[in-house]
């Protein structure tokens, strides 16, 4: 595996070595944790229920509560790698109405050694699910949770970005996104709502930590998180112009759903298409009408089950399945979309690349990525550059491995994680 980025052979070898070391550390930490059945927690449930009224200004902190991170002792101060608080904050739905969203802000133990005030990185999790139990803020103390009452397996894999930045003295905020943990359906791959959750997460992180309003911020994510980071990057100038955005890292973003849906169809994570359908039907009645009309009984049952599932649930339940089995006509979902102008319009509205990011972006695409097509990532780079954006586009050249198994989606994540993080750190240090 190599990067088309002008890196020297020695730099690539050092990058691989550091990646291996961090992956090993994260794996060891995960193995050391005790994975136990999730027990009902009245206080936790109350935290995720928004009050009857709350501040409507985007980025307002509604409530917060200190929580332990992996391997920390609850209540002990100043533990490595930082002090974490789960936060409920105000964001906005796509129609502009206020939305209560949750996330986690971590103030690092390590000092910031760069110029100016401590920067903040907002991390968008990759695909972790649609059920409330999948929210990243609920999984900060353990890498996994098992809810035997559903049953459901939640997995938190935001640790690499979070811990790497904390070690460098950067404050980290991890959003749960709209509808994850809080009431309603998580609007998976909704361009405006994921971008709003990221941008308002930056605002909330600055307020919750008492940081200067003009302290540097950046955005990062891979896969679904890459789409969220890319959306935040291009919405920042109009939605949150006061933020001092320095950089973004967007790995394998699903920038064009028309291209992504057929690639995921029939893959290990085919069930993630259900996340997208459920999220779009939650906001668009025209999509709901088509879904209700076109899906068969098996499809309706699958979408209902997926709406309360985590990534660990959909792989054994729907892995390698095809959407044609959900449709009354036996067509694929892509075919149904192609003959449904109203749905085509909605899918088009989710496309990322029509606005210009106001800060440099590190963009990655895997040439042989088996679920997030390389071509639509390359198109995103071209679209942004045509508008004058500062884009560093890196191509991962990992050869095809077990196509449709998502191996070719996961391996590039490891290969570009460190270059992406170093890119953001470099912009923070300027």
């Amino acid at each position: 595996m190599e990067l088309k980025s002008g890196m020297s052979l020695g730099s690539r070898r050092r990058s691989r070595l550091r990646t291996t070391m961090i992956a090993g550390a994260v794996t060891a930490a995960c193995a050391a944790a005790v994975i136990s059945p999730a027990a009902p927690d009245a206080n936790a449930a109350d935290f995720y229920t928004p009050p009857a009224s709350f501040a409507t200004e985007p980025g307002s902190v509604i409530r917060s509560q200190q929580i332990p991170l992996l391997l920390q002792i609850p209540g002990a101060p100043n533990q490595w790698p930082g002090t974490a608080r789960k936060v409920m904050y105000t964001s906005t739905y796509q129609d502009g109405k206020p939305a209560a969203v949750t996330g986690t802000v971590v103030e690092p133990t390590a000092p910031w050694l760069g110029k100016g005030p401590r920067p903040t990185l907002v991390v968008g999790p990759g695909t972790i699910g649609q059920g409330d139990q999948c929210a990243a803020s609920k999984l900060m103390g353990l890498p996994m949770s098992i809810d035997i009452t559903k049953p459901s397996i939640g997995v938190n894999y935001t640790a690499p970005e979070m811990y790497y930045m904390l070690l460098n003295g950067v404050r980290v905020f991890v959003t749960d996104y709209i509808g994850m943990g809080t009431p309603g359906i998580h609007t998976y791959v909704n361009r405006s709502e994921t971008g709003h959750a990221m941008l308002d997460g930056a605002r909330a992180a600055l307020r919750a930590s008492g940081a200067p309003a003009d302290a540097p911020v950046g955005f990062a994510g891979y896969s679904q998180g890459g789409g969220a980071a890319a959306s935040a990057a291009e919405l920042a100038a109009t939605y949150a112009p006061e933020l001092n955005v320095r950089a973004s890292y967007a790995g394998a973003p699903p920038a064009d759903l028309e291209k992504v849906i057929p690639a995921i169809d029939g893959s290990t994570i085919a069930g993630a298409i259900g996340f997208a359908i459920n999220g779009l039907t939650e906001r668009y009645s025209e999509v709901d009408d088509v879904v209700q009309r076109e899906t068969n009984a098996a499809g309706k049952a699958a979408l209902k089950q997926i709406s309360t599932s985590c990534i660990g649930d959909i792989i054994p339940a729907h892995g390698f399945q095809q959407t044609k089995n959900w449709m009354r006509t036996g067509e694929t979902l892509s075919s149904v979309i192609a003959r449904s102008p109203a749905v085509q319009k909605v899918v088009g509205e989710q496309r990322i690349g029509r606005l210009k990011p106001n800060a440099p972006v590190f963009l990655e695409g895997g040439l042989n990525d088996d679920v997030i097509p390389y071509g639509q990532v390359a198109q995103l780079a071209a679209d942004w550059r045509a508008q004058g954006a500062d884009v560093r586009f890196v191509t991962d050249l990992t050869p095809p491995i077990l196509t449709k198994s998502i191996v070719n989606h996961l391996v590039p994540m490891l290969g570009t994680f460190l270059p992406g993080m170093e890119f953001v750190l470099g912009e923070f240090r300027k």
Side-chain angles (χ1 to χ4, degrees):
M1 177 178 63
E2 60 179 329
L3 305 177
K4 288 183 177 178
S5 60
M7 294 173 64
S8 68
L9 179 59
S11 296
R12 287 198 297 268
R13 285 174 175 167
R14 287 192 295 272
S15 176
R16 290 193 196 101
L17 177 59
R18 285 182 293 174
T19 300
T20 301
M21 291 173 65
I22 285 185
V26 171
T27 300
C30 292
V34 178
I35 302 172
S36 59
D41 184 336
N43 293 328
D46 289 343
F47 184 91
Y48 292 88
T49 301
S53 62
F54 53 86
T56 59
E57 182 183 357
S60 297
V61 177
I62 300 170
R63 60 168 66 116
S64 69
Q65 177 182 314
Q66 188 166 333
I67 58 172
L69 294 175
L70 181 65
L71 303 182
Q72 286 187 339
I73 302 171
N78 302 318
Q79 295 185 77
W80 182 90
T83 301
R85 301 187 70 84
K86 60 182 178 182
V87 175
M88 177 177 283
Y89 64 103
T90 306
S91 189
T92 59
Y93 295 114
Q94 64 181 31
D95 62 3
K97 294 179 180 178
V101 188
T102 51
T104 306
V105 61
V106 187
E107 196 73 14
T109 305
W112 168 244
L113 301 178
K115 300 177 182 178
R118 187 190 301 275
T120 299
L121 181 74
V122 180
V123 176
T127 299
I128 57 177
Q130 199 156 48
D132 288 337
Q133 75 277 13
C134 318
S137 66
K138 295 184 177 183
L139 301 173
M140 286 294 165
L142 292 172
M144 295 179 65
S145 71
I146 302 175
D147 187 341
I148 60 175
T149 65
K150 293 188 182 296
S152 178
I153 300 175
V155 182
N156 177 17
Y157 45 85
T158 60
E161 294 100 328
M162 185 174 76
Y163 280 73
Y164 191 78
M165 283 298 184
L166 292 173
L167 285 170
N168 283 278
V170 176
R171 179 184 301 108
V172 176
F173 186 93
V174 182
T175 182
D176 290 338
Y177 300 123
I178 289 176
M180 183 86 78
T182 49
I185 293 291
H186 165 46
T187 46
Y188 183 79
V189 297
N190 180 301
R191 172 180 165 272
S192 64
E193 294 195 359
T194 53
H196 292 173
M198 296 282 281
L199 291 160
D200 290 321
R203 288 164 159 161
L206 296 176
R207 290 173 179 169
S209 59
D214 62 349
V217 299
F219 305 97
Y222 189 86
S223 196
Q224 180 192 1
S231 179
E234 70 171 23
L235 289 174
T238 53
Y239 183 78
E242 84 285 0
L243 289 177
N244 180 12
V245 181
R246 294 290 184 85
S248 297
Y249 159 60
D256 186 347
L257 296 186
E258 186 178 358
K259 304 292 194 306
V260 173
I261 289 172
I264 295 180
D265 206 346
S267 73
T268 307
I269 57 168
I273 295 176
F275 295 151
I277 294 173
N278 290 331
L280 293 177
T281 57
E282 181 77 355
R283 293 289 178 264
Y284 298 92
S285 60
E286 58 269 44
V287 175
D288 188 44
D289 290 342
V290 171
V291 170
Q292 292 303 319
R293 183 174 65 248
E294 297 290 345
T295 53
N296 55 28
K300 288 179 173 62
L303 292 174
K304 181 178 180 180
Q305 185 265 333
I306 287 170
S307 71
T308 60
S309 296
C310 297
I311 186 69
D313 309 326
I314 66 166
I315 293 175
H318 304 284
F320 299 110
Q321 293 186 13
Q322 297 181 323
T323 55
K324 66 182 182 180
N325 296 323
W326 295 353
M327 304 298 162
R328 62 175 181 81
T329 61
E331 299 171 86
T332 63
L333 175 61
S334 294
S335 297
V336 172
I337 293 173
R339 61 175 173 79
S340 306
V343 180
Q344 278 186 307
K345 181 176 181 293
V346 169
V347 169
E349 289 176 4
Q350 313 315 314
R351 182 171 172 181
I352 304 169
R354 295 193 172 102
L355 298 174
K356 175 186 174 182
N358 64 355
V361 180
F362 183 102
L363 185 64
E364 179 274 340
L367 188 62
N368 296 299
D369 193 317
D370 49 359
V371 291
I372 302 295
Y374 175 79
Q376 53 98 50
V377 183
Q379 185 61 54
L380 173 59
D383 290 343
W384 276 345
R385 285 172 173 167
Q387 299 174 73
D390 182 352
V391 181
R392 179 180 175 186
F393 179 40
V394 172
T395 296
D396 180 274
L397 300 177
T398 302
I401 306 169
L402 301 174
T403 302
K404 290 290 187 179
S405 69
I406 72 168
V407 171
N408 276 90
H409 181 58
L410 297 178
V411 170
M413 176 176 66
L414 297 175
T416 54
F417 158 69
L418 275 171
M421 292 297 97
E422 286 297 323
F423 176 86
V424 175
L425 275 174
E427 296 299 320
F428 280 163
R429 289 168 176 149
K430 288 182 178 179

Short mmCIF file of all heavy atoms in Angstrom, two decimals, residues 342-377:
data_model
loop_
_atom_site.label_atom_id
_atom_site.label_comp_id
_atom_site.label_asym_id
_atom_site.label_seq_id
_atom_site.Cartn_x
_atom_site.Cartn_y
_atom_site.Cartn_z
N ALA A 342 -38.67 12.16 -7.58
CA ALA A 342 -38.69 12.82 -6.27
C ALA A 342 -37.56 12.30 -5.38
O ALA A 342 -36.90 13.08 -4.67
CB ALA A 342 -40.04 12.59 -5.59
N VAL A 343 -37.31 10.99 -5.43
CA VAL A 343 -36.24 10.41 -4.62
C VAL A 343 -34.88 10.80 -5.20
O VAL A 343 -33.93 11.09 -4.45
CB VAL A 343 -36.37 8.88 -4.54
CG1 VAL A 343 -35.24 8.29 -3.70
CG2 VAL A 343 -37.72 8.49 -3.95
N GLN A 344 -34.78 10.84 -6.53
CA GLN A 344 -33.54 11.29 -7.16
C GLN A 344 -33.16 12.68 -6.68
O GLN A 344 -32.00 12.97 -6.39
CB GLN A 344 -33.69 11.30 -8.68
CG GLN A 344 -33.49 9.94 -9.35
CD GLN A 344 -33.50 10.07 -10.86
OE1 GLN A 344 -34.42 10.64 -11.44
NE2 GLN A 344 -32.46 9.57 -11.50
N LYS A 345 -34.15 13.56 -6.59
CA LYS A 345 -33.91 14.93 -6.14
C LYS A 345 -33.38 14.94 -4.71
O LYS A 345 -32.43 15.67 -4.39
CB LYS A 345 -35.19 15.75 -6.24
CG LYS A 345 -35.05 17.22 -5.83
CD LYS A 345 -36.36 17.95 -6.06
CE LYS A 345 -36.22 19.43 -5.68
NZ LYS A 345 -36.02 19.63 -4.24
N VAL A 346 -33.99 14.14 -3.84
CA VAL A 346 -33.56 14.08 -2.44
C VAL A 346 -32.14 13.54 -2.34
O VAL A 346 -31.30 14.08 -1.61
CB VAL A 346 -34.53 13.22 -1.62
CG1 VAL A 346 -33.94 12.93 -0.23
CG2 VAL A 346 -35.88 13.90 -1.49
N VAL A 347 -31.85 12.47 -3.07
CA VAL A 347 -30.51 11.89 -3.05
C VAL A 347 -29.50 12.92 -3.55
O VAL A 347 -28.40 13.06 -2.99
CB VAL A 347 -30.46 10.61 -3.91
CG1 VAL A 347 -29.02 10.14 -4.13
CG2 VAL A 347 -31.28 9.50 -3.26
N GLY A 348 -29.88 13.69 -4.58
CA GLY A 348 -29.00 14.72 -5.10
C GLY A 348 -28.72 15.81 -4.08
O GLY A 348 -27.62 16.39 -4.06
N GLU A 349 -29.68 16.10 -3.22
CA GLU A 349 -29.50 17.14 -2.20
C GLU A 349 -28.46 16.75 -1.15
O GLU A 349 -27.92 17.62 -0.46
CB GLU A 349 -30.83 17.43 -1.49
CG GLU A 349 -31.84 18.16 -2.37
CD GLU A 349 -33.17 18.35 -1.67
OE1 GLU A 349 -33.30 17.99 -0.49
OE2 GLU A 349 -34.12 18.85 -2.32
N GLN A 350 -28.17 15.46 -1.06
CA GLN A 350 -27.17 15.01 -0.08
C GLN A 350 -25.75 15.07 -0.63
O GLN A 350 -24.80 14.80 0.10
CB GLN A 350 -27.49 13.58 0.37
CG GLN A 350 -28.93 13.30 0.74
CD GLN A 350 -29.55 14.37 1.62
OE1 GLN A 350 -28.96 14.83 2.60
NE2 GLN A 350 -30.78 14.78 1.28
N ARG A 351 -25.62 15.41 -1.90
CA ARG A 351 -24.29 15.40 -2.52
C ARG A 351 -23.41 16.49 -1.92
O ARG A 351 -23.81 17.65 -1.78
CB ARG A 351 -24.40 15.58 -4.02
CG ARG A 351 -23.05 15.52 -4.71
CD ARG A 351 -23.16 15.47 -6.21
NE ARG A 351 -21.84 15.60 -6.82
CZ ARG A 351 -21.63 15.61 -8.13
NH1 ARG A 351 -22.66 15.48 -8.96
NH2 ARG A 351 -20.41 15.74 -8.61
N ILE A 352 -22.20 16.12 -1.59
CA ILE A 352 -21.21 17.04 -1.04
C ILE A 352 -20.29 17.50 -2.17
O ILE A 352 -19.90 16.71 -3.02
CB ILE A 352 -20.39 16.35 0.07
CG1 ILE A 352 -21.32 15.79 1.15
CG2 ILE A 352 -19.38 17.32 0.69
CD1 ILE A 352 -20.62 14.87 2.14
N GLY A 353 -19.95 18.79 -2.18
CA GLY A 353 -19.03 19.30 -3.18
C GLY A 353 -19.52 20.55 -3.89
O GLY A 353 -18.81 21.12 -4.72
N ARG A 354 -20.71 21.01 -3.55
CA ARG A 354 -21.26 22.19 -4.23
C ARG A 354 -20.90 23.50 -3.55
O ARG A 354 -21.17 24.57 -4.08
CB ARG A 354 -22.79 22.05 -4.34
CG ARG A 354 -23.23 20.89 -5.22
CD ARG A 354 -24.71 20.96 -5.56
NE ARG A 354 -25.07 19.95 -6.55
CZ ARG A 354 -25.69 18.81 -6.26
NH1 ARG A 354 -26.00 18.54 -5.00
NH2 ARG A 354 -26.00 17.95 -7.21
N LEU A 355 -20.30 23.43 -2.36
CA LEU A 355 -19.85 24.61 -1.65
C LEU A 355 -18.35 24.51 -1.41
O LEU A 355 -17.78 23.42 -1.38
CB LEU A 355 -20.59 24.76 -0.31
CG LEU A 355 -22.11 24.95 -0.39
CD1 LEU A 355 -22.70 24.92 1.02
CD2 LEU A 355 -22.46 26.24 -1.11
N LYS A 356 -17.71 25.66 -1.20
CA LYS A 356 -16.26 25.71 -1.04
C LYS A 356 -15.86 25.67 0.43
O LYS A 356 -16.31 26.51 1.21
CB LYS A 356 -15.72 26.99 -1.68
CG LYS A 356 -14.22 27.21 -1.48
CD LYS A 356 -13.81 28.57 -2.02
CE LYS A 356 -12.35 28.87 -1.69
NZ LYS A 356 -11.95 30.22 -2.16
N PRO A 357 -15.02 24.72 0.84
CA PRO A 357 -14.48 24.74 2.21
C PRO A 357 -13.69 26.02 2.45
O PRO A 357 -13.00 26.51 1.55
CB PRO A 357 -13.57 23.51 2.25
CG PRO A 357 -14.10 22.61 1.17
CD PRO A 357 -14.58 23.53 0.09
N ASN A 358 -13.76 26.55 3.67
CA ASN A 358 -13.06 27.80 3.97
C ASN A 358 -11.70 27.56 4.63
O ASN A 358 -11.11 28.50 5.16
CB ASN A 358 -13.92 28.72 4.84
CG ASN A 358 -14.23 28.13 6.21
OD1 ASN A 358 -13.89 27.00 6.50
ND2 ASN A 358 -14.91 28.90 7.03
N ALA A 359 -11.23 26.31 4.62
CA ALA A 359 -9.93 25.97 5.19
C ALA A 359 -9.39 24.74 4.45
O ALA A 359 -10.15 24.03 3.78
CB ALA A 359 -10.07 25.67 6.69
N PRO A 360 -8.09 24.47 4.55
CA PRO A 360 -7.50 23.32 3.85
C PRO A 360 -8.14 22.00 4.26
O PRO A 360 -8.52 21.80 5.41
CB PRO A 360 -6.03 23.37 4.27
CG PRO A 360 -5.78 24.80 4.61
CD PRO A 360 -7.06 25.28 5.22
N VAL A 361 -8.23 21.08 3.29
CA VAL A 361 -8.82 19.77 3.52
C VAL A 361 -7.86 18.68 3.04
O VAL A 361 -7.30 18.76 1.96
CB VAL A 361 -10.16 19.61 2.78
CG1 VAL A 361 -10.75 18.22 3.04
CG2 VAL A 361 -11.16 20.69 3.18
N PHE A 362 -7.69 17.66 3.89
CA PHE A 362 -6.96 16.44 3.51
C PHE A 362 -8.03 15.41 3.15
O PHE A 362 -8.81 14.98 4.01
CB PHE A 362 -6.12 15.95 4.69
CG PHE A 362 -5.27 14.73 4.39
CD1 PHE A 362 -3.91 14.87 4.14
CD2 PHE A 362 -5.81 13.46 4.37
CE1 PHE A 362 -3.11 13.75 3.89
CE2 PHE A 362 -5.04 12.34 4.11
CZ PHE A 362 -3.67 12.49 3.87
N LEU A 363 -8.08 15.03 1.89
CA LEU A 363 -9.12 14.13 1.38
C LEU A 363 -8.50 12.84 0.92
O LEU A 363 -7.47 12.85 0.23
CB LEU A 363 -9.85 14.82 0.22
CG LEU A 363 -11.06 14.14 -0.40
CD1 LEU A 363 -12.20 14.01 0.60
CD2 LEU A 363 -11.53 14.95 -1.62
N GLU A 364 -9.09 11.71 1.32
CA GLU A 364 -8.54 10.40 0.95
C GLU A 364 -9.59 9.54 0.27
O GLU A 364 -10.77 9.55 0.63
CB GLU A 364 -8.03 9.68 2.20
CG GLU A 364 -7.45 8.29 1.95
CD GLU A 364 -8.50 7.17 1.94
OE1 GLU A 364 -9.61 7.39 2.48
OE2 GLU A 364 -8.22 6.10 1.36
N GLY A 365 -9.13 8.80 -0.73
CA GLY A 365 -9.97 7.80 -1.39
C GLY A 365 -9.16 6.57 -1.71
O GLY A 365 -7.99 6.67 -2.11
N GLY A 366 -9.75 5.39 -1.53
CA GLY A 366 -9.07 4.14 -1.86
C GLY A 366 -9.39 3.74 -3.29
O GLY A 366 -10.56 3.61 -3.66
N LEU A 367 -8.37 3.53 -4.10
CA LEU A 367 -8.58 3.20 -5.51
C LEU A 367 -9.44 1.96 -5.66
O LEU A 367 -10.25 1.85 -6.59
CB LEU A 367 -7.23 2.99 -6.19
CG LEU A 367 -7.25 2.82 -7.71
CD1 LEU A 367 -7.81 4.07 -8.38
CD2 LEU A 367 -5.84 2.53 -8.23
N ASN A 368 -9.31 1.02 -4.72
CA ASN A 368 -10.08 -0.23 -4.78
C ASN A 368 -11.04 -0.39 -3.60
O ASN A 368 -11.40 -1.51 -3.24
CB ASN A 368 -9.12 -1.42 -4.85
CG ASN A 368 -8.28 -1.42 -6.12
OD1 ASN A 368 -8.82 -1.51 -7.22
ND2 ASN A 368 -6.97 -1.29 -5.97
N ASP A 369 -11.42 0.74 -3.00
CA ASP A 369 -12.39 0.70 -1.90
C ASP A 369 -13.65 -0.01 -2.40
O ASP A 369 -14.21 0.35 -3.44
CB ASP A 369 -12.72 2.13 -1.46
CG ASP A 369 -13.47 2.18 -0.13
OD1 ASP A 369 -14.40 1.37 0.05
OD2 ASP A 369 -13.15 3.04 0.71
N ASP A 370 -14.07 -1.02 -1.66
CA ASP A 370 -15.18 -1.85 -2.14
C ASP A 370 -16.56 -1.41 -1.66
O ASP A 370 -17.56 -2.07 -1.98
CB ASP A 370 -14.96 -3.33 -1.78
CG ASP A 370 -14.58 -3.57 -0.33
OD1 ASP A 370 -14.45 -2.59 0.43
OD2 ASP A 370 -14.40 -4.74 0.06
N VAL A 371 -16.65 -0.31 -0.92
CA VAL A 371 -17.97 0.20 -0.55
C VAL A 371 -18.13 1.71 -0.76
O VAL A 371 -19.24 2.20 -0.95
CB VAL A 371 -18.35 -0.14 0.92
CG1 VAL A 371 -18.58 -1.63 1.09
CG2 VAL A 371 -17.31 0.36 1.90
N ILE A 372 -17.03 2.46 -0.73
CA ILE A 372 -17.09 3.89 -1.00
C ILE A 372 -16.29 4.14 -2.28
O ILE A 372 -15.06 4.22 -2.25
CB ILE A 372 -16.49 4.73 0.16
CG1 ILE A 372 -17.24 4.44 1.46
CG2 ILE A 372 -16.55 6.21 -0.17
CD1 ILE A 372 -18.71 4.87 1.45
N PRO A 373 -16.97 4.24 -3.43
CA PRO A 373 -16.28 4.29 -4.72
C PRO A 373 -15.26 5.43 -4.81
O PRO A 373 -15.54 6.57 -4.43
CB PRO A 373 -17.41 4.50 -5.72
CG PRO A 373 -18.62 3.94 -5.04
CD PRO A 373 -18.44 4.26 -3.59
N TYR A 374 -14.10 5.10 -5.34
CA TYR A 374 -13.03 6.07 -5.48
C TYR A 374 -13.43 7.23 -6.38
O TYR A 374 -13.11 8.40 -6.10
CB TYR A 374 -11.80 5.37 -6.05
CG TYR A 374 -10.64 6.29 -6.36
CD1 TYR A 374 -9.81 6.75 -5.34
CD2 TYR A 374 -10.38 6.70 -7.67
CE1 TYR A 374 -8.75 7.60 -5.62
CE2 TYR A 374 -9.33 7.55 -7.95
CZ TYR A 374 -8.51 8.00 -6.93
OH TYR A 374 -7.47 8.84 -7.20
N GLY A 375 -14.15 6.94 -7.45
CA GLY A 375 -14.50 7.97 -8.43
C GLY A 375 -15.26 9.14 -7.83
O GLY A 375 -15.02 10.29 -8.20
N GLN A 376 -16.18 8.86 -6.92
CA GLN A 376 -16.96 9.96 -6.36
C GLN A 376 -16.14 10.77 -5.34
O GLN A 376 -16.41 11.95 -5.14
CB GLN A 376 -18.27 9.47 -5.75
CG GLN A 376 -18.17 8.34 -4.73
CD GLN A 376 -18.22 8.85 -3.31
OE1 GLN A 376 -19.08 9.62 -2.94
NE2 GLN A 376 -17.25 8.39 -2.50
N VAL A 377 -15.10 10.16 -4.74
CA VAL A 377 -14.20 10.93 -3.89
C VAL A 377 -13.32 11.83 -4.77
O VAL A 377 -13.11 13.01 -4.46
CB VAL A 377 -13.31 10.02 -3.02
CG1 VAL A 377 -12.43 10.87 -2.10
CG2 VAL A 377 -14.16 9.07 -2.20
#
